Structure formats: structure tokens, C-alpha cells
Amino acid sequence: MKPAAVNVVFQSESFRDHEQVVFVRDKATGLRAIIAIHDSTLGPAMGGTRMWPYETEAAALRDALRLSHGMTYKSAMAGLDLGGGKAVIIGDARKDKTPELLTAYASYVDRLCGHFITGEDVGMTVADMDLMAKVTPHIRGTSSGHVGDPSPHTALGVFRGIEAAVRHKLGRNGLGGLKVCIQGLGNVGMALAELLHAAGAVLVVADIREGAVEQARERFGATSIAADVAHTAEVDVFAPCALGGGLNGRTIPEMRASIVAGSANNQLESEGDGELLRARQILYAPDYVINAGGVISIVHDTDGFSFEAMRGDVVRIGETLSEIFERASREGVATSIIADRMAEERLASA
Ligand code: NAD
């Protein structure tokens, strides 16, 4: 009898020529993790580790592969000499994250000998990085560095990206009176809310954590919208800062914003969704370009650290986005396609 075909990894649509995918299992701690290394043309693969209670292993693998692929493009567009990688730990960070589990995970990162460098992502904290850094040197974003939590730098990049999008789409400088809906008030979303509020923007917010929404109401005079319909908010800018996949064939036709610019990774559920946004004349700031502030800050976190140099590179995200918007308008194609092309041009010339 012919063995059944196994199409879960190499032939999955998310695989996209990954160099290496490591499946980690540590029986003693219950650890199940996937480390995906997409491309190391430009340097060692860098990408955060996410802890999330995926419903299926296939969903965890898909997330790791898509995020890792995005990191290759993110580093290429940010001009960094880094490749793309990402890891996911399957589990609920609030219940399953133990020091033993993190220590075991870090030992597997160590076995990759610097081919994969990691830091925080959803479900992980600076304290977790501190613990893992005791096991392996290939950890970034610890409290002993100059940078610590990268989220405020990610938020600054998104803020500058929103400014660039508003200039291109609405022909105006400054964000005073601009209506922005932030979906997800976590580390990045809340820091972004603070920057936008200080710039005079009017905020509508959504989160599944009522406490975060309450905080935004009190601190920024924000109004709120239910999390499942946040994409329908009647605003100028929709800023997805929760999880990915929120822009798709169901949500895009319901959107009323003319700009999408937020920090979430993998915002487009599928590649064609970039074109769907363009067809509706919604300007999309490609996720891996606008959210590169965190990885830029981590790369700057060396002995010769300069805050000004780091900030300069984060702020440049706005200029890169303006270039993408102009090229997309000229060539009449989706901004997501132009960003991919620009990243691939850099990879090809490396
Ligand atoms: P976080 O875990 O601190 O925040 C996520 C927030 O989204 C939480 O408040 C959560 O309650 C909320 N949320 C979850 N599901 C939601 C839903 N359906 N509707 C509304 N809110 C929902 O994560 P973060 O570090 O702020 O990152 C946010 C996004 O930005 C993620 O996609 C992450 O991968 C991406 N990102 C983060 C950084 C960084 O520096 N932290 C860098 C690049 C990209």
C-alpha cells in the first residue's frame, strides 16, 4: 500500500522556502515549540518568540512560518543585516509559562548556536528574556540592555507611519482632529494611543480586556467600540495592534477608514487582500515596514548604543513608507506588492 502523502510542511502554502524549521518537545516541562528560520541571506535569523494557546498544531506552524517569512522582509526593508526567523511556544502564557519551561526553551535556542536570535513577542515579557538570557547569549530585549521593552519604539515607528500615510492619502500634515481606531491596547497599542493623543488625534479603541479600554477612556478621553467590529469604525485611520489576519474578504468590504496603519504582524489574511484594499481605495501601510521599530531598537542595543541614532532609524520608517506609497500610486499596484518587491530587490542584490 502506498503511504499517505504528508503535505503539512514543505508543501504548505506558508512554507515559502524556509531554510530550517525546528520542532521542539521537552517532555519534563511539557514544552512544545516551533522555531522557524526563513532566510539568512542578510545575516542570522532574528525574530521574537510568541506564546499562544493555538487550537491546533497546524495553526501554530502556520503562524510561525508566516511570521518568520515576514521577519525576512522586515529586516530587508529596515536595512538591517539580519535574516528572518520566529518561534512559537504552544500554550497559555498566563497558565502554562513556568521558569522551567522557559529555561528548557532557551536551551533549544542555544543549540542553534546564534543562527537564531530571539526576543519578546505576544505572551512574553522582559523578565522572561532575562531568565532565558541566563541560558543562552542569543536573547535580546533583556532589562540589562539599553533598550529593554521594544514596544515604545515600535509604537513610535507606527506613529511616524501614520503621519506619512495621512500626508499621502489626505494631503495634510499633523494629526490634530484625525480620527483613529486602535484595535488592541497592549504594549504597542497603548503606547501608540499616548503618542496620538499628544498629537491631538481623536481615539476610538477596542480590546478584549475591558481594563485596558477603561484606561484609554480615562487617560486619552477615548471612546470604545466592540472588539469584533472594530474594523467598521467610522474613522480616518484603522490601526490593527492586536493579532494578525484581521484584514480579509469579510472585513475589508465593511471598513470605513481610508488608511490602515498599525503594528500587528501578518495583517493581511492572504496575499490578495492587499489588492482588495487598493480596490477600495484604502491606503495600506505594509505591516512589516511600519512595525519595524522594535527590531531596529534591538539591533541598536550594543555597547556603542546611541539613543539618537536608534531614534533616527525608527523615524526613517515614515520615509520608507512614503516611498512605497508613491511607487504604488505610480505603478498602480497594491502597497503590499511594492513592499515585497523592494525587499526582494535588496535580498537579490545581497
Ligand atoms: P500585547 O500582547 O501586549 O497586546 C495585544 C493586545 O491585543 C492585548 O491587549 C489583547 O488583549 C488585545 N487583543 C487580542 N485579541 C484582540 C481582539 N480580537 N480585539 C481587540 N484586542 C485584542 O502585544 P504587543 O506587543 O502590543 O503587540 C501587538 C501586535 O504588534 C502583535 O501582532 C505583535 O506581533 C505586533 N508587533 C509587536 C512589536 C513589539 O515591539 N511589541 C513589534 C512588532 C510587531
Side-chain angles (χ1 to χ4, degrees):
M1 205 172 71
K2 238 173 95 182
V6 179
N7 292 335
V8 283
V9 183
F10 294 114
Q11 290 173 46
S12 86
E13 56 145 351
S14 318
F15 185 68
R16 297 198 262 192
D17 288 327
H18 267 69
E19 290 176 6
Q20 191 178 8
V21 182
V22 182
F23 292 84
V24 174
R25 164 74 176 146
D26 182 67
K27 205 169 151 195
T29 60
L31 171 70
R32 284 181 304 152
I34 302 169
I35 301 172
I37 295 176
H38 175 249
D39 189 295
S40 55
T41 306
L42 298 173
M46 163 99 85
T49 295
R50 172 175 294 192
M51 185 159 185
W52 192 255
Y54 295 98
E55 278 181 17
T56 63
E57 288 172 16
L61 176 62
R62 183 172 188 269
D63 208 26
L65 293 173
R66 292 194 73 208
L67 290 164
S68 161
H69 177 265
M71 284 306 297
T72 299
Y73 282 65
K74 184 184 300 197
S75 289
M77 283 304 285
L80 305 173
D81 293 332
L82 287 173
K86 200 87 179 186
V88 299
I89 298 176
I90 302 171
D92 185 334
R94 282 168 301 184
K95 290 193 299 216
D96 305 326
K97 197 165 62 176
T98 60
E100 293 76 19
L101 181 130
L102 291 176
T103 302
Y105 169 68
S107 73
Y108 284 95
V109 172
D110 196 57
R111 286 188 201 182
L112 292 168
C113 301
H115 196 53
F116 174 63
I117 303 166
T118 195
E120 273 181 275
D121 195 71
V122 176
M124 301 295 266
T125 64
V126 173
D128 297 335
M129 296 308 120
D130 285 348
L131 181 66
M132 292 184 356
K134 291 186 183 146
V135 182
T136 175
H138 310 302
I139 301 291
R140 300 291 179 272
T142 64
S143 61
S144 63
H146 303 277
V147 170
D149 179 8
S151 309
H153 312 295
T154 304
L156 176 63
V158 173
F159 177 78
R160 289 306 181 110
I162 291 175
E163 284 182 330
V166 165
R167 255 193 315 276
H168 183 86
K169 180 75 188 173
L170 307 176
R172 39 180 283 206
N173 288 313
L175 305 184
L178 188 86
K179 284 192 189 154
V180 184
C181 173
I182 304 179
Q183 179 189 45
L185 291 165
N187 293 324
V188 180
M190 197 64 91
L192 176 65
E194 197 171 340
L195 291 170
L196 288 168
H197 175 66
V202 177
L203 299 181
V204 180
V205 296
D207 199 292
I208 50 176
R209 294 181 301 128
E210 186 49 40
V213 172
E214 195 47 48
Q215 205 192 117
R217 272 199 210 105
E218 276 171 22
R219 289 178 62 194
F220 315 122
T223 54
S224 62
I225 182 167
D228 56 344
V229 291
H231 63 281
T232 67
E234 206 159 344
V235 289
D236 302 299
V237 180
F238 175 54
C241 297
L243 294 182
L247 306 176
N248 54 48
R250 180 184 64 81
T251 56
I252 293 169
E254 294 176 346
M255 285 179 55
R256 284 184 262 185
S258 56
I259 293 168
V260 177
S263 75
N265 280 308
N266 293 340
Q267 292 172 30
L268 304 178
E269 193 172 278
S270 65
E271 273 180 38
D273 295 324
E275 184 51 37
L276 264 186
L277 285 164
R278 191 186 80 89
R280 284 216 53 216
Q281 300 186 351
I282 298 170
L283 181 67
Y284 169 61
D287 46 14
Y288 60 77
V289 181
I290 195 168
N291 72 13
V295 71
I296 292 172
S297 71
I298 285 169
V299 168
H300 274 269
D301 198 355
T302 58
D303 288 345
F305 177 72
S306 151
F307 184 83
E308 288 67 35
M310 176 191 74
R311 196 182 152 86
D313 282 351
V314 173
V315 163
R316 202 159 303 125
I317 288 172
E319 291 163 31
T320 307
L321 282 167
S322 296
E323 200 183 325
I324 292 169
F325 298 151
E326 276 153 31
R327 195 165 147 184
S329 297
R330 259 196 328 271
E331 297 181 23
V333 289
T335 52
S336 52
I337 292 174
I338 293 297
D340 282 359
R341 277 188 202 157
M342 285 167 69
E344 283 156 12
E345 282 160 16
R346 169 144 198 247
L347 286 164
S349 67

